[in-house]
């Protein structure tokens, strides 16, 4: 019951943050079509990852035995989403936060998406997700999502000239520098994934010792 309440609370916060950010995007870009803005909205890694987090929390809280609940209950899914959303928080605070100064509701949305939800989902994974079933190869499998995202970003940017983040802006940095930035991020994803697996296996060993004591 405690886990479901926790997940329900942060599911509401997660969906609210996504809705707020989308509304602000439409409000702040009146000269741009809603279709273009919607496509750009879903081209941010932050948005896609927070969407995954909100879905994972919602499925576990509201319909744990349904299709969404079974997907979100998977230890591999929850660990992967935890890893992705940590990257969102770390990259934002290290590379992006100093490039702008959001105010008002934008600051609220910014804080929820880049700080509150990463902390909340990692807390969920640490406190309420079963441990001890991950394998080292999972850290490599989890690279699929950022790789697909990178491919989409390159194709979308080449067609439209719009780039979601300065460190992968091919038009300004050139393909080689942007590719190097993305390769560095992939290495970070991999290393963080290995840390997640290591924590999972350590907790799993602890839980087995406690169960047999």
């Amino acid at each position: 019951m405690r886990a479901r309440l926790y997940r329900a609370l942060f599911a509401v916060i997660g969906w609210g943050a996504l809705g707020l950010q989308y509304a602000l995007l439409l409000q702040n870009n009146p000269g741009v079509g809603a279709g273009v803005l919607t496509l750009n909205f879903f081209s941010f890694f932050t948005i896609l990852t927070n969407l995954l987090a909100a879905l994972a929390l919602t499925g576990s809280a509201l319909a744990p035995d349904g299709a969404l609940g079974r997907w979100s209950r998977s230890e591999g899914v929850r660990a992967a989403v935890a890893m992705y959303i940590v990257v969102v928080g770390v990259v934002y605070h290290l590379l992006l936060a100093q490039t702008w100064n959001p105010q008002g509701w934008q600051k609220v949305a910014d804080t929820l998406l880049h700080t509150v939800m990463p902390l909340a989902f990692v807390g969920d994974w640490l406190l309420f997700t079963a441990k001890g079933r991950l394998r080292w190869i999972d850290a490599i499998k989890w690279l699929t999502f950022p790789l697909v995202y990178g491919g989409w970003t390159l194709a979308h940017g080449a067609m439209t000239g719009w780039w979601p983040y300065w460190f992968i802006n091919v038009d300004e940095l050139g393909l080689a520098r942007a590719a190097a930035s993305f390769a560095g991020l992939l290495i970070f994803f991999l290393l963080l994934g290995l840390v997640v697996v290591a924590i999972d296996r350590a907790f799993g060993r602890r839980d087995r010792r406690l169960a047999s004591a």
Side-chain angles (χ1 to χ4, degrees), residues 77-88:
V77 167
R78 302 197 80 81
V81 175
M83 184 264 284
Y84 298 146
I85 207 162
V86 166
V87 173
V88 166

Side-chain angles (χ1 to χ4, degrees), residues 184-195:
L185 284 173
L186 281 180
I187 293 171
F188 181 55
F189 274 106
L190 178 60
L191 293 176
L192 187 57
L194 292 173
V195 170

Side-chain angles (χ1 to χ4, degrees), residues 10-20 50-51 53-58 117:
F10 285 106
V12 170
I13 292 173
W15 289 116
L18 288 166
L20 176 60
N50 272 275
L51 179 61
L55 286 170
L57 292 166
T58 300
M117 289 304 294

Side-chain angles (χ1 to χ4, degrees), residues 12-203:
V12 170
I13 292 173
W15 289 116
L18 288 166
L20 176 60
Q21 181 59 62
Y22 182 66
L24 290 169
L25 183 69
L26 296 178
Q27 175 184 301
N28 295 333
N29 296 274
V32 183
V36 171
L37 290 175
T38 300
L39 183 61
N40 290 351
F41 180 74
F42 288 107
S43 296
F44 284 99
F45 191 81
T46 292
I47 298 301
L48 295 176
T49 304
N50 272 275
L51 179 61
L52 286 176
L55 286 170
L57 292 166
T58 300
S60 298
L62 299 183
D65 296 322
L68 181 60
R70 291 193 298 273
W71 168 81
S72 65
R73 200 165 58 238
S74 164
E75 293 88 348
V77 167
R78 302 197 80 81
V81 175
M83 184 264 284
Y84 298 146
I85 207 162
V86 166
V87 173
V88 166
V90 170
V91 169
Y92 176 77
H93 288 289
L94 291 183
L95 298 179
L96 299 172
Q98 66 271 25
T99 65
W100 74 322
N101 184 29
Q103 301 294 321
W105 285 110
Q106 184 60 69
K107 186 172 182 62
V108 173
D110 187 72
T111 301
L112 291 175
L113 293 171
H114 297 105
T115 305
V116 173
M117 289 304 294
L119 291 173
F121 201 90
V122 170
D124 175 85
W125 178 69
L126 289 172
L127 295 172
F128 304 123
T129 302
K131 304 294 190 302
R133 300 179 185 178
L134 299 182
R135 300 172 299 164
W136 296 112
I137 192 66
D138 290 327
I140 297 177
K141 293 179 179 179
W142 295 338
L143 296 179
T144 301
F145 177 43
L147 279 169
V148 171
Y149 175 78
W152 161 252
T153 300
L154 181 61
H156 183 217
M159 290 185 292
T160 65
W162 180 88
W163 303 91
Y165 304 109
W166 66 263
F167 48 83
I168 51 174
N169 187 328
V170 174
D171 292 337
E172 291 189 2
L173 299 178
L175 183 59
R177 289 179 63 191
S181 294
F182 186 70
L185 284 173
L186 281 180
I187 293 171
F188 181 55
F189 274 106
L190 178 60
L191 293 176
L192 187 57
L194 292 173
V195 170
V196 168
V197 175
I199 292 172
D200 172 87
R201 293 167 73 91
F203 278 35

